[in-house]
Amino acid sequence: MQDPYSERMSARETRAASGLALVFAFRMLGMFMVLPVLATYGMELQGATPALIGLAIGAYGLTQALLQIPFGMLSDRIGRLPVIYFGLLIFAAGAVLAASADSIWGVIAGRIMQGAGAISAAVMALLSDLTREQHRTKAMALIGMSIGVSFAVAMIVGPLLTRAFGLSGLFWATAGMALMGMLVVAVLPRAHHHLRHRESGVAKQALGATLRHSDLLRLDFSILALHAILMASFVALPLALVGEASLPREEHWWVYLTALVVGFFGMVPFIIYGEKKRQMKRVVLGAVAVLLFAELFFWWFGSGLWPLVGGMVIFFVAFNLLEASLPSLISKVAPAGGKGTAMGVYSTSQFLGAGVGGVLGGWFYQQGGLALVFAGCAVLCVLWLMAVWRMNEPPYVTGLRLPLSAEALLDPALAEQMLAVPGVSDAVVIAEEAAAYVKVDMQVLDRPALDRLVA
């Protein structure tokens, strides 16, 4: 029998976390593989214009933003698995529609349908059902890692697949991956109960406070701006590689591989510095400034192959740094018991940014070419700098969910007693969950005293 307090994940937990990470990876691969190729191959579709290409690139984000939170709440009512199966089926159907299309409007409709398979919140809720409290952070980190890896793989595999099988072949591969994801879900362990967990799901009671929290709103705008800039830039960059650098579209994969690998290793020292020295605000401001520099560099010097490669390396150092840092900041800034709701709003902002960025990137390119796209992204970076300049330095705390004994639940002053424990900065007791949510500084926390209170 598995020790409930074991420091090691059980085989069941490992299988659940790995399987759900794979489901995320399959889905995100399908979303991102079109990013480096749609601007170049999509122009061969009937009725294609740069503005419509941009809409096709970002369309999934609009429906994803609209449906993510409702699907998560629906999974609380009817169960996780029906929502996940239904979402993956919609995603596969959207890929089939796009693969069968011979016009840009068919691809746009397929991308909209892909985004309607908004299962992220339901997958995270299922992960909470299948893992114990002390291992949930590790399991969520595994899923976060799978998303990052899938983005990197998509940027390289997308051009190679399209080169071999064309744009329709790419979408057929995406449909196949969605069906493989359904097979993975079918062999996952079954949850014995649905855990009501405010760290991994949206709580209606916390939504108002989340939307009024100024620093959370700054972070929501940050992820919106980051993905808007990503999508707009990838309307322009593939076209710049073909037109300005004379690099055949079949060879773009090595540019993305170089930029992503260097960008990944380039961001690691800054993450370590920000966390160890507790200077994450400075790191975020610096990364946004570097992103601004990259867009200005593309605008002024992006007329040859090596300047474009160099600019992309700079771009991905900043992008990878921000993509890794912003979710961590949400976890730090969100009040006790509010992380799941804060992450729900954050993810909605991310997908909305992807949709808006694709649409605006295509429209800018149609109106003013590459220069206007890069100039528009630079302006958005300036607005972003202004938004985060007044952000407070985040508290360096960790969120914990502590199950409460029946005796502890009877104590009306439990939250106040928790706040008196050294290292506890925020605490809330949720009686209907028989649990307390606390934010703690692990460097100074008196954990034995906290454990005595909840027991």
Side-chain angles (χ1 to χ4, degrees):
M1 184 175 178
Q2 180 71 30
D3 178 2
Y5 300 103
S6 170
E7 290 302 313
R8 298 181 61 183
M9 293 179 73
S10 68
R12 183 174 184 270
E13 288 173 316
T14 302
R15 186 156 62 96
S18 302
L20 291 173
L22 200 56
V23 171
F24 253 107
F26 283 147
R27 189 168 169 279
M28 300 313 290
L29 266 173
M31 288 293 192
F32 287 131
M33 279 197 302
V34 303
L35 195 56
V37 299
L38 200 52
T40 51
Y41 287 84
M43 289 304 293
E44 298 169 359
L45 294 165
Q46 181 183 339
T49 66
L52 292 178
I53 290 291
L55 177 57
I57 287 174
Y60 84 92
L62 300 175
T63 43
Q64 182 96 348
L66 183 66
L67 294 173
Q68 168 158 284
I69 290 178
F71 270 33
M73 292 180 172
L74 183 63
S75 77
D76 289 335
R77 299 186 62 182
I78 69 171
R80 320 299 189 203
L81 293 181
V83 170
I84 293 172
Y85 279 129
F86 181 64
L88 287 172
L89 199 58
I90 292 176
F91 183 86
V96 170
L97 177 59
S100 307
D102 56 7
S103 74
I104 187 63
W105 286 107
V107 171
I108 290 170
R111 292 284 281 172
I112 288 173
M113 188 178 290
Q114 282 185 303
I119 61 168
S120 301
V123 170
M124 297 306 286
L126 180 59
L127 185 72
S128 292
D129 294 344
L130 292 170
T131 54
R132 287 168 294 161
E133 192 69 40
Q134 65 266 37
H135 300 307
R136 200 156 294 127
T137 300
K138 287 184 280 187
M140 289 180 177
L142 183 61
I143 285 184
M145 192 184 307
S146 76
I147 295 172
V149 170
S150 65
F151 176 78
V153 171
M155 298 299 291
I156 300 157
V157 172
L160 294 175
L161 268 179
T162 311
R163 174 183 178 178
F165 304 107
L167 199 56
S168 64
L170 183 70
F171 282 116
W172 282 115
T174 298
M177 284 188 286
L179 296 177
M180 288 171 64
M182 294 177 72
L183 292 176
V184 172
V185 173
V187 300
L188 287 175
R190 290 296 177 259
H192 302 304
H193 62 279
H194 294 323
L195 180 65
R196 300 178 65 184
H197 197 309
R198 291 189 174 208
E199 297 293 88
S200 60
V202 174
K204 292 179 182 178
Q205 305 92 323
L207 198 53
T210 299
L211 295 175
R212 292 190 298 270
H213 195 297
S214 59
D215 281 348
L216 285 177
L217 290 176
R218 289 185 177 99
L219 294 171
D220 294 334
F221 179 75
S222 295
I223 195 63
L224 185 151
L226 181 64
H227 279 258
I229 290 166
L230 175 71
M231 293 298 168
S233 295
F234 271 89
V235 172
L237 287 172
L239 296 172
L241 287 172
V242 171
E244 301 294 323
S246 301
L247 184 70
R249 60 191 183 181
E250 295 82 8
E251 297 181 26
H252 288 192
W253 64 271
W254 69 262
V255 176
Y256 303 129
L257 175 61
T258 302
L260 282 162
V261 170
V262 178
F264 174 78
F265 287 104
M267 66 111 179
V268 171
F270 298 102
I271 290 283
I272 295 172
Y273 166 79
E275 290 290 349
K276 282 191 172 292
K277 301 295 184 181
R278 300 196 167 190
Q279 294 289 336
M280 286 306 299
K281 178 183 176 181
R282 180 180 296 180
V283 167
V284 169
L285 285 169
V288 178
V290 170
L291 205 61
L292 171 60
F293 173 79
E295 295 296 337
L296 294 174
F297 186 86
F298 288 138
W299 182 14
W300 293 334
F301 304 111
S303 56
L305 176 58
W306 292 111
L308 283 169
V309 173
M312 280 196 218
V313 168
I314 296 168
F315 178 94
F316 276 109
V317 169
F319 175 83
N320 290 340
L321 179 55
L322 289 161
E323 187 79 355
S325 300
L326 292 175
S328 170
L329 291 175
I330 288 282
S331 298
K332 289 176 169 60
V333 172
K339 178 185 171 183
T341 306
M343 287 301 299
V345 176
Y346 172 88
S347 296
T348 298
S349 303
Q350 174 182 329
F351 293 121
L352 183 61
V356 170
V359 171
L360 288 181
W363 187 80
F364 283 160
Y365 184 83
Q366 188 161 310
Q367 299 302 313
L370 296 170
L372 187 57
V373 177
F374 297 136
C377 290
V379 169
L380 184 52
C381 285
V382 172
L383 295 175
W384 184 0
L385 275 173
M386 293 168 61
V388 297
W389 193 266
R390 296 180 61 190
M391 184 176 73
N392 297 305
E393 186 69 43
Y396 289 84
V397 293
T398 301
L400 299 176
R401 181 183 185 273
L402 304 172
L404 298 177
S405 67
E407 184 180 354
L409 274 173
L410 295 174
D411 186 351
L414 181 61
E416 288 79 2
Q417 293 174 39
M418 288 180 169
L419 288 170
V421 174
V424 176
S425 60
D426 193 10
V428 61
V429 174
I430 308 299
E432 57 267 30
E433 294 183 34
Y437 294 89
V438 295
K439 303 299 286 283
V440 301
D441 185 337
M442 298 301 288
Q443 291 186 6
V444 297
L445 175 65
D446 185 349
R447 185 60 190 258
L450 187 61
D451 288 340
R452 284 194 296 273
L453 281 176
V454 301

